[in-house]
Amino acid sequence: MSVHLVGGGATTSRDAALYAPFVAEAALRGAAAGRARPRIAVISLHPEAQEKAAALADLLAASDGAREIEVQLTAGRSGEPIRLTALADVDGIAVGGGFVEEVRAGLEPVFGELRRLVAGGVPYLGVSAGAMIAAEGSFGSGSRIGGVVVAPEDPEDPGAELEIEAGIGLVDVAIEVHVAERGMLSRLVAAVESGLVAGGLGIDERTVLIVGDGALRVEGSGSVWRVVPADQGVLVATIGA
């Protein structure tokens, strides 16, 4: 099974096809467990968690008109960790966006269980912040490295330093999202060049990166940007859809 990472922005019915590979994998897992409908945990730690969880569930359901799914919704609250019961007996796990620090903190108590489930064949879908925390080292929201501005600053938190926190560990490189749309490639480049992370992948909006046993797969309207160290700095290349 695979890890599906969406760079954000895919929130309308026309984006539903991006979620179809994830739902198809969950259906295979469910069929192996004897379920006619795959059971998918949909978790949101967004400030509007109830609404966002329901919206993500609707997109998953719309991704394949011929397949019905059973959704197990969890709308988390800031400061309250997600419980293991949210992940019990599921065929797929979908984590939505929000403030990356809050999404990471809410899921941290179940990181070990998430790793165990994915290693056992349960597909994972992360959208925006849900994609960022899938990495071993998860980016925070800061826009400066060593006091130098490396990305557009958040007007609500100007001057914040980029910090790397432990993520779930489903992929071994850092994940950046909203790359082309929010000018975040520069932050990924600076993080790799400074040595904060050993390498990274940046995902545009309305684009999904699928990490499985074979080659990386990209679907959607944007690109995935690969940033790795090089002799004279960093090497940047794109993986097109």
Side-chain angles (χ1 to χ4, degrees):
M1 294 298 175
S2 305
V3 176
H4 302 247
L5 306 175
V6 180
T11 59
T12 68
S13 58
R14 63 178 175 150
D15 303 307
L18 291 178
Y19 302 95
F22 165 77
V23 174
E25 289 192 18
L28 287 174
R29 175 79 179 185
R35 280 189 277 269
R37 296 188 301 162
R39 183 178 299 143
I40 299 177
V42 177
I43 300 171
S44 176
L45 287 142
H46 191 278
E48 300 171 358
Q50 195 72 45
E51 175 185 340
K52 297 297 184 181
L56 180 53
D58 287 345
L59 282 169
L60 297 178
S63 69
D64 188 337
R67 179 180 291 118
E68 293 185 358
I69 64 174
E70 178 183 340
V71 175
Q72 187 168 295
L73 286 180
T74 298
R77 298 180 180 179
S78 178
E80 295 183 9
I82 298 298
R83 298 181 179 180
L84 288 173
T85 52
L87 306 174
D89 197 23
V90 295
D91 305 307
I93 301 161
V95 178
F99 297 112
V100 63
E101 291 87 355
E102 293 185 4
V103 175
R104 180 195 168 280
L107 282 169
E108 185 177 16
V110 296
F111 276 1
E113 180 66 3
L114 286 168
R115 287 191 294 269
R116 187 189 71 80
L117 289 170
V118 174
V122 176
Y124 175 91
L125 170 74
V127 182
S128 189
M132 294 172 74
I133 66 164
E136 285 185 0
S138 172
F139 279 9
S141 59
S143 57
R144 297 184 179 223
I145 296 177
V148 178
V149 177
V150 296
E153 293 200 271
D154 183 347
E156 296 184 3
D157 193 16
E161 283 280 320
L162 173 62
E163 296 183 356
I164 311 297
E165 301 285 352
I168 304 171
L170 305 180
V171 293
D172 59 4
V173 294
I175 300 296
E176 184 66 279
V177 294
H178 305 286
V179 173
E181 294 76 13
R182 298 187 184 178
M184 303 308 292
L185 180 59
S186 58
R187 187 171 78 156
L188 182 57
V189 167
V192 174
E193 187 171 30
S194 68
L196 276 178
V197 295
L201 295 167
I203 309 170
D204 290 344
E205 292 183 1
R206 291 192 161 88
T207 305
V208 58
L209 170 67
I210 303 173
V211 183
D213 293 332
L216 298 178
R217 177 179 163 195
V218 179
E219 301 285 349
S221 59
S223 295
V224 171
W225 306 76
R226 189 200 306 266
V227 182
V228 296
D231 291 341
Q232 302 299 320
V234 299
L235 176 65
V236 180
T238 57
I239 307 171

